[in-house]
Amino acid sequence: MTDLELLNLAVNAMENAYSPYSEFKVGAALLCENGDVYCGANIENSSYSATICAERVALFKAVSDRQTSFKSMAVVGCYPVKTQDFCYPCGVCLQTLREFCAPDFKIITANSLGDIKEFTLKELLPYGFSLGR
Ligand SMILES: [Zn+2]
């Protein structure tokens, strides 16, 4: 699975977003160490705090299938009118990833022009909380 293939799966997942309030669609594709891929889209709620991000949807789907070893995640997002902005995981998602992923876990994002950026989890969350696991 190449980074570009993972990004394309995230783009496809983005179409499944339920985002009637923000109209901001996000898609994520999570690559497991065994090669399986789990996708997710953001799911908003009338009670805004019940909203969940695409990244955590993908991660929770994977963990609920007993997957706990991950290589990388692709994340994309946009409003109906596409911009050149990149979509980065929020702090809650980074902390959630921190629970299961190594510091060198790769996070890939792309904008609507096809420009790609890659980071490690450690770069985006240098001091994540941990109980020592
Ligand atoms: Zn998030």
Side-chain angles (χ1 to χ4, degrees):
M1 171 77 51
T2 66
D3 291 351
L4 197 54
E5 288 171 331
L6 199 62
L7 277 164
N8 283 330
L9 290 174
V11 169
N12 290 341
M14 185 172 62
E15 296 308 315
N16 297 331
Y18 176 77
S19 55
Y21 306 107
S22 74
E23 296 188 34
F24 191 77
K25 294 177 177 240
V26 181
L30 175 63
L31 177 62
C32 304
E33 288 286 352
N34 70 359
D36 289 352
V37 176
Y38 288 82
C39 294
N42 55 325
I43 303 169
E44 295 183 342
N45 191 283
S46 300
S47 174
Y48 288 172
S49 65
T51 294
I52 187 165
C53 303
E55 299 93 315
R56 279 178 287 146
V57 170
L59 181 66
F60 293 163
K61 286 168 69 176
V63 173
S64 66
D65 273 354
R66 297 178 160 251
Q67 300 273 6
T68 54
S69 296
F70 305 108
K71 291 177 78 168
S72 59
M73 173 178 273
V75 182
V76 294
C78 70
Y79 285 106
V81 176
K82 294 182 177 174
T83 69
Q84 298 176 19
D85 295 338
F86 289 88
C87 181
Y88 303 97
C90 76
V92 174
C93 287
L94 292 170
Q95 177 61 44
T96 307
L97 288 166
R98 167 69 181 78
E99 182 72 20
F100 297 97
C101 302
D104 65 348
F105 174 80
K106 189 163 62 173
I107 296 168
I108 310 151
T109 184
N111 65 10
S112 60
L113 298 178
D115 301 319
I116 296 171
K117 289 184 178 181
E118 290 186 8
F119 304 90
T120 65
L121 178 58
K122 180 82 173 174
E123 287 175 315
L124 295 181
L125 187 72
Y127 301 103
F129 178 78
S130 172
L131 290 176
R133 291 184 60 231

